Amino acid sequence: MKTELVTKAYEIAKERYAAIGVDTEKVLKQMQDFHLSLHCWQADDVKGFEVQAGALSGGIQSTGDFPGAARNIDELRQDILKAKSLIPGNHRLNLHEIYGDFKGKVVDRDEVTVEHFQSWIDWAKDNNTMLDFNSSSFSHPKSGSLTLANPDEGIRQFWVEHTKRCRDIANAMGEAQGDPCIMNLWVHDGCKDVSVNHALYRNTLKKSLDEVFAKEQPMMKDCIEGKVFGIGLESFTVGSHDFYTAYAAQNDKILTIDTGHYHPTESAADKVSAVLPFLKELMLHVSRPVRWDSDHVTIMDDPTQELFFEIVRAGALDRVHYGLDFFDGSINRIGAYVIGSRSAQKCMLRALLEPRETISQLELAGEGYKVLAIIEEQKAMPWQAVYDEFCVRNNVPVGQEFIADIDQYVADVISKR
Ligand code: RNT
Ligand code: ZN
């Protein structure tokens, strides 16, 4: 795309927005400070690098076997850098524990230490990337259907030990990068069928969390992620949304809102203003449920747009961490990263470009139709010209031009795998 064309369109857009009181230059600065946390697990369909790795379990599934998935740490790093080169701005990388650099050795989950992530810490530094982290309860012989909520003391202790070690690793990452590492805790614990020990499992999970979080870790932040159900665990989820919301409020933890983890007609966006009076921060897992928690690639659909509107309207930009969480193995995986990330950014951009103050005043003055009118007109405002300008200023392809870059990468790298 000719840069002059983008500039011309941007200048017009800038005037159109200025006319309704929106400063696009300010918004572009805000976009520059908006960092997504790219989830490493889209690159290889949540397999990770454990020598002893088994099949993906724990109620989640990646479908599709599109060729070219990253097979080792070098390929994954290469793919992440490629994806990052096609996304404007600078973004964090979110690692799961199973993506450690185990150097061909069997390292069980209760043995992992920061040494297994030293090469990631070095890589991140070299590539100007901050790291986030996740403990991994799935795809392990001891995963079963209960981990931290397991009444079997041996199994419970195993996962407590794992999760404590993950917090040590996250803290070391935070220290190395001089910025807190955000560690997400999600466990799949639940029941496939009718069961009667719900209170026991939930009390056990609470006890485990209390033990796991007992140690002060100044350079990491804990988030806890609930969900409705997992595959094979359809009837009961120990760590439900209510469970973790209550735990987070009582223990000053970050609540993770995964957009695929609610009933199909339930609004994840609506939860933002409902929990923010009680919680300091939120973590997002931006995903796309199609009929269920299918982790399709994020697009600019209404629920995602609404989520970002709610964050901006709540004035909570700095209280939210923006993780992505999708894993589609049926399409080119770099393409998945680029589409999902750029779509999330576009939703944020549209939210930032809304003339909030004007709309807010009109609403308070009882001018209902004007509120609706302005919100509807926003949908056709030239936000796309602002996004293109954002791409140009960040030296990344404009519009669908990234397709050619990915084609080239397929020819040069992926097709040789
Ligand atoms: C699963 C959760 C969880 C995982 C990742 C891999 O339903 O969304 O966040 O997707 O930890
Ligand atoms: Zn998630």
Side-chain angles (χ1 to χ4, degrees):
M1 178 100 43
K2 286 209 196 89
T3 308
E4 309 94 79
L5 210 59
V6 173
T7 312
K8 244 196 240 170
Y10 172 67
E11 288 305 326
I12 293 170
K14 189 174 165 183
E15 275 187 47
R16 290 288 305 274
Y17 279 107
I20 55 166
V22 175
D23 178 353
T24 54
E25 285 299 318
K26 184 177 159 212
V27 168
L28 282 170
K29 280 200 194 78
Q30 289 176 303
M31 285 299 291
Q32 210 65 52
D33 292 336
F34 169 48
H35 309 290
L36 297 167
S37 191
L38 289 187
H39 55 311
C40 70
W41 51 95
Q42 165 65 67
D44 75 336
D45 312 335
V46 211
K47 289 196 183 73
F49 307 129
E50 285 182 325
V51 174
Q52 70 278 24
L56 182 58
S57 74
I60 52 175
Q61 199 173 36
S62 168
T63 56
D65 55 358
F66 197 80
R71 294 164 300 180
N72 53 51
I73 208 160
D74 292 332
E75 291 181 355
L76 188 130
R77 286 174 179 163
Q78 199 179 11
D79 287 358
I80 295 289
L81 290 179
K82 185 70 213 175
K84 283 187 75 173
S85 76
L86 302 173
I87 304 164
N90 190 14
H91 303 286
R92 304 171 72 98
L93 178 65
N94 199 2
L95 291 173
H96 243 288
E97 184 275 342
I98 52 173
Y99 288 79
D101 190 355
F102 302 115
K103 303 199 189 308
K105 292 201 191 75
V106 174
V107 177
D108 207 352
R109 306 267 174 102
D110 63 344
E111 296 168 340
V112 66
T113 68
V114 68
E115 95 192 56
H116 305 113
F117 288 87
Q118 192 53 51
S119 75
W120 273 116
I121 293 172
D122 299 340
W123 177 89
K125 191 168 181 217
D126 291 346
N127 291 286
N128 189 25
T129 300
M130 303 272 186
L131 296 174
D132 293 320
F133 201 52
N134 299 258
S135 51
S136 310
S137 71
F138 50 86
S139 311
H140 184 277
K142 288 197 172 76
S143 292
S145 53
L146 294 168
T147 63
L148 288 177
N150 205 317
D152 179 309
E153 191 55 16
I155 296 183
R156 190 183 76 82
Q157 275 305 333
F158 176 86
W159 292 109
V160 166
E161 181 62 26
H162 167 72
T163 320
K164 283 181 175 171
R165 284 168 176 261
C166 286
R167 290 182 81 238
D168 287 339
I169 295 166
N171 197 66
M173 287 175 172
E175 270 171 7
Q177 64 201 17
D179 188 70
C181 168
I182 310 302
M183 181 178 135
N184 189 56
L185 188 158
W186 165 72
V187 294
H188 55 275
D189 298 35
C191 301
K192 180 183 170 77
D193 215 329
V194 177
S195 51
V196 298
N197 289 309
H198 299 176
L200 170 68
Y201 303 140
R202 287 196 168 129
N203 287 328
T204 307
L205 179 54
K206 179 180 182 301
K207 180 168 95 174
S208 295
L209 295 179
D210 290 347
E211 289 171 24
V212 161
F213 296 141
K215 184 169 170 187
E216 289 286 321
Q217 301 273 24
M219 286 309 280
M220 58 85 68
K221 294 184 182 185
D222 296 296
C223 13
I224 45 184
E225 178 186 10
K227 69 188 286 191
V228 174
F229 79 96
I231 306 166
L233 301 166
E234 290 88 355
S235 297
F236 173 71
T237 303
V238 185
S240 60
H241 176 73
D242 306 73
F243 176 91
Y244 283 124
T245 306
Y247 192 93
Q250 194 172 57
N251 297 281
D252 199 14
K253 296 294 172 195
I254 300 175
L255 183 71
T256 299
I257 294 182
D258 182 311
T259 54
H261 286 194
Y262 301 96
H263 292 287
T265 57
E266 195 177 352
S267 164
D270 184 58
K271 301 187 187 304
V272 172
S273 62
V275 298
L276 277 178
F278 308 97
L279 304 176
K280 290 201 193 96
E281 295 173 77
L282 286 178
M283 168 74 163
L284 301 183
H285 269 188
V286 189
S287 186
R288 178 165 51 109
V290 176
R291 304 190 191 280
W292 66 287
D293 178 27
S294 57
D295 294 290
H296 280 64
V297 177
T298 296
I299 56 173
M300 289 187 76
D301 54 6
D302 288 351
T304 313
Q305 186 59 70
E306 209 51 39
L307 177 65
F308 285 94
F309 271 132
E310 282 296 302
I311 293 166
V312 176
R313 289 169 184 166
L317 266 181
D318 298 340
R319 293 167 67 190
V320 181
H321 305 278
Y322 303 90
L324 301 174
D325 185 12
F326 46 80
F327 31 99
D328 189 341
S330 74
I331 56 175
N332 179 294
R333 295 168 185 80
I334 316 290
Y337 275 125
V338 177
I339 295 164
S341 304
R342 289 172 67 126
S343 295
Q345 285 184 314
K346 288 173 192 168
C347 288
M348 176 56 96
L349 176 65
R350 280 200 52 206
L352 292 170
L353 287 169
E354 182 177 71
R356 300 188 276 301
E357 200 38 46
T358 309
I359 304 175
S360 160
Q361 290 308 322
L362 287 168
E363 181 178 312
L364 295 175
E367 298 275 17
Y369 101 86
K370 294 183 186 169
V371 170
L372 200 53
I374 296 177
I375 288 177
E376 281 305 287
E377 289 304 320
Q378 287 309 299
K379 293 177 180 168
M381 283 289 283
W383 58 266
Q384 162 268 344
V386 183
Y387 190 77
D388 287 351
E389 176 70 11
F390 182 50
C391 289
V392 165
R393 291 190 191 183
N394 280 278
N395 252 318
V396 305
V398 172
Q400 65 187 43
E401 280 174 354
F402 67 79
I403 293 175
D405 289 73
I406 295 177
D407 280 349
Q408 193 61 51
Y409 187 69
V410 170
D412 295 347
V413 178
I414 293 190
S415 63
K416 308 210 164 104
R417 287 182 183 165

